Amino acid sequence: MSIAHEPVVIDRTATQRLFGLGAPTRDVDDRGEPLNRMSMDIGALAPNTARTAYGGVLAVLLDDLLGFTVWDRRGIRDGLVTAELSVDVVTPRRWQGPTLRAESRLLALTADGGTSTARVHDSAGTLIATGTLWGNFVDLPAPGADGSALPDFPEPGVAPLDWIGGRIEDGPGVRVVVPANPLVANKLGFMHGGVQGCAMDLAANAALSRDGADMDTASVRINYFRPIPLDRDTTFIADVVRAGRSVAVARVAGTSGGRICVEATVTGRRRLS
């Protein structure tokens, strides 16, 4: 039960607009413990979640809110970068709109960064996912505003791959390629960590599907090594580690300019009818 709230007035980034994220809100629970809230508009996509898995987009919501929860306690530091993001998908399909609502709490704080946790529910109150983030504070001012025009936003409710402007390529490993796209930038001008998570989820599921594993995402564990610039293609390559009847595992590496920038382990579970 909420007893107070304080909206946080911020300008939404193109990525936040693209994914229908509301502004974060500071709040406290009925015990007086601080928490933060954020919503995601799923009005257009909710009817599609019975046949299409949108689990990857949860990474965008969770990275944004969990990062804000730690960033908000940064003190005199300039900003925060995500070092690790974990997403556990409890309900992969049949979400009830029009919104997802996430609540986040700070777990630990040090001079170098912090850890936060969150839970996501749909409009029916069903638990959709949980998440945990570990982030590091940085002394790197945000870049100045880019005055160039943004490309057109995709239609609401499109499939996640179209949402991030990517394409799937087959080869030794299944690849999701995300071209240079200012719509998926974070506030520092690099690719949003949640968008990376979404792309890796898509690559893992495509690889598992190619191997005959009919799976929904159960969890994603992401480690971020270096920022991904937005002036070139980024490739996310997935390889299947194990594909059983009820559980499958894939590993995904995201590369840009010939360097590995991010890696993830994606666990799938047998899709329920």
Side-chain angles (χ1 to χ4, degrees), residues 3 27-35 105:
I3 60 174
D27 209 337
V28 295
D29 60 22
D30 55 357
R31 296 176 298 177
E33 297 293 330
L35 58 83
R105 290 172 169 81

Side-chain angles (χ1 to χ4, degrees), residues 9 23 33 41 43 46 86 102 106-107 122 139 156 177 189 196 201 204 214 226 234 266 271-273:
V9 180
E33 297 293 330
D41 181 357
S86 297
L106 188 71
L107 292 179
D122 68 7
D139 296 315
V177 179
Q196 297 174 48
D201 175 74
D214 193 21
R226 53 180 57 88
T234 304
V266 180
R271 185 172 303 166
L272 302 176
S273 57

Side-chain angles (χ1 to χ4, degrees), residues 157-245:
V158 299
L161 186 67
D162 298 321
W163 217 344
I164 63 174
R167 64 182 185 271
I168 293 179
E169 297 179 352
D170 215 344
V174 175
R175 299 182 293 177
V176 168
V177 179
V178 180
N181 183 0
L183 295 182
V184 298
N186 63 16
K187 291 184 177 180
L188 296 175
F190 301 107
M191 185 181 290
H192 192 289
V195 172
Q196 297 174 48
C198 183
M200 288 187 285
D201 175 74
L202 290 167
N205 277 279
L208 293 173
S209 178
R210 188 185 66 171
D211 276 24
D214 193 21
M215 300 282 174
D216 280 324
T217 299
S219 67
V220 184
R221 304 282 182 264
I222 308 168
N223 294 104
Y224 300 91
F225 304 134
R226 53 180 57 88
I228 295 180
L230 290 173
D231 59 353
R232 67 195 70 168
D233 287 359
T234 304
T235 302
F236 300 89
I237 305 175
D239 293 295
V240 176
V241 177
R242 171 72 177 171
R245 295 179 61 187

